[in-house]
């Protein structure tokens, strides 16, 4: 099993920045593709970003490209989401998720492709 805990959310003004962290338990973190998703009130959960096991490849939703960056430190069992130039429409609960993977060939952008999920952290961006 893998347990995931997000942190770093909060209230920020438009144009500001936040850095989210996702800490994972276990000894096999480097075997997992890690994804970021978010869900705003009354909306479906949507894909934000993905980073492969090695951290060498990443993919972002069009809505956050150029503003968000994800990275990982496998020695610390932690993945990060750096969010810059935040907009009110970025307001949501942000989740990290893990998928056991056997190579870095594919990007997984559907929530049903991830087995393990954190509890989420609230990000609120004011106008």
């Amino acid at each position: 099993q893998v347990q995931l805990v997000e942190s770093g959310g909060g209230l920020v003004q438009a144009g500001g920045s936040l850095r989210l962290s996702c800490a994972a338990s276990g000894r096999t973190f480097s075997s997992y593709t890690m994804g970021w998703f978010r869900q705003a009130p009354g909306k479906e959960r949507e894909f934000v970003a993905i980073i492969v096991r090695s951290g060498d490849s990443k993919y972002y939703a069009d809505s956050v490209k150029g503003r968000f960056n994800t990275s990982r430190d496998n020695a610390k069992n932690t993945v990060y989401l750096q969010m810059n130039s935040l907009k009110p429409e970025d307001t949501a609960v942000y989740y990290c998720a893990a998928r056991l993977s056997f190579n870095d060939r594919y990007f997984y952008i559907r929530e049903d492709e991830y087995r393990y999920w954190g509890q989420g952290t609230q990000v609120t961006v004011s106008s």
Side-chain angles (χ1 to χ4, degrees):
Q1 292 186 334
V2 175
Q3 290 185 325
L4 306 173
V5 180
E6 301 97 337
S7 62
L11 176 64
V12 65
Q13 289 184 271
S17 298
L18 284 174
R19 189 192 194 201
L20 306 184
S21 297
C22 175
S25 66
R27 298 179 179 270
T28 59
F29 178 71
S30 62
S31 297
Y32 288 84
T33 297
M34 298 296 297
W36 288 98
F37 294 79
R38 66 186 183 186
Q39 187 168 22
K43 303 292 185 180
E44 296 293 318
R45 190 172 299 180
E46 66 174 348
F47 166 77
V48 175
I50 186 172
I51 184 167
V52 301
R53 302 172 307 162
S54 67
D56 290 342
S57 296
K58 310 165 187 179
Y59 182 71
Y60 301 90
D62 288 342
S63 59
V64 306
K65 284 181 180 177
R67 299 188 297 119
F68 289 13
N69 180 64
T70 187
S71 60
R72 66 192 293 164
D73 187 339
N74 288 344
K76 297 181 178 179
N77 280 19
T78 302
V79 63
Y80 306 95
L81 184 67
Q82 177 67 46
M83 305 184 294
N84 302 314
S85 301
L86 283 162
K87 305 173 181 179
E89 50 263 45
D90 295 319
T91 295
V93 176
Y94 283 72
Y95 301 88
C96 65
R99 176 192 169 90
L100 181 64
S101 303
F102 300 98
N103 58 58
D104 293 336
R105 181 176 180 181
Y106 303 105
F107 293 136
Y108 304 102
I109 64 172
R110 299 194 304 271
E111 62 178 290
D112 61 4
E113 295 179 305
Y114 291 83
R115 180 181 297 273
Y116 304 104
W117 292 82
Q119 296 298 307
T121 186
Q122 176 71 48
V123 172
T124 302
V125 184
S126 62
S127 300

